[in-house]
């Protein structure tokens, strides 16, 4: 079973993602803050991580860099989640180790297509 972590201070975004992705083949884990997510990743690294581009406690790029620095046999695919296309934020996230981005709010078809693309790239 694949494990996906959504790091977002919006409980609505996390719940929508969990409702769309949760099922027999995907376990969705939630974190509201970057520091909480890092602790969770240190204990048990997920396969996919979606990081909010505007976390309240730390920059998304810092979360991505710190996740990449954690020694783990799992090298997660990481996306930054943004409310609008911001090329500078996307490039900073990619330089930190992200594979791409996801625009929010998202709907079921958008999120599922994004995750299908990640599975192909895996």
């Amino acid at each position: 079973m694949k494990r996906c972590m959504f790091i977002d201070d919006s409980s609505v975004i996390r719940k929508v993602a969990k409702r769309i992705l949760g099922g027999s083949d995907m376990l969705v884990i939630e974190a509201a803050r970057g520091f909480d997510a890092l602790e969770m990743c240190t204990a048990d690294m997920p396969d996919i991580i979606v990081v909010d581009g505007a976390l309240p406690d730390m920059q998304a790029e810092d979360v991505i860099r710190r996740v990449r620095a954690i020694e783990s046999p799992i090298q997660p695919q990481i996306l930054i989640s943004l409310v609008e296309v911001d090329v500078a934020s996307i490039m900073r996230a990619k330089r930190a180790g992200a594979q791409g981005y996801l625009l929010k709010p998202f709907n079921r078809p958008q999120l599922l297509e994004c995750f299908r693309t990640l599975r192909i790239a895996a």
Side-chain angles (χ1 to χ4, degrees):
M1 176 179 287
K2 292 265 187 196
R3 297 177 67 245
C4 173
M5 176 182 286
F6 263 79
I7 310 167
D8 200 302
D9 61 325
S10 168
S11 62
V12 173
I13 293 290
R14 294 191 318 264
K15 286 178 186 175
V16 168
K18 194 170 202 169
R19 197 167 289 145
I20 293 171
L21 296 171
S24 60
D25 63 337
M26 178 83 61
L27 175 65
V28 179
I29 304 155
E30 303 176 44
R33 299 186 174 276
F35 287 113
D36 297 338
L38 291 170
E39 286 182 15
M40 295 165 73
C41 287
T42 300
D44 194 7
M45 186 67 76
D47 301 293
I48 302 166
I49 301 173
V50 180
V51 183
D52 180 10
L55 290 171
D57 62 339
M58 61 193 308
Q59 297 292 319
E61 307 87 65
D62 292 336
V63 173
I64 296 166
R65 271 191 213 90
R66 289 180 184 202
V67 165
R68 291 286 180 225
I70 296 170
E71 288 192 33
S72 171
I74 297 171
Q75 290 299 308
Q77 295 196 53
I78 302 175
L79 299 173
I80 185 169
S81 176
L82 302 165
V83 294
E84 63 184 11
V85 175
D86 177 351
V87 175
S89 293
I90 294 167
M91 294 311 296
R92 283 192 303 272
K94 285 191 168 198
R95 280 193 296 272
Q99 278 75 34
Y101 68 95
L102 170 68
L103 290 178
K104 60 182 181 177
F106 44 78
N107 59 30
R108 176 182 285 284
Q110 290 167 327
L111 189 59
L112 292 177
E113 180 57 30
C114 180
F115 272 65
R116 266 192 282 284
T117 303
L118 282 179
R119 288 189 186 127
I120 291 167

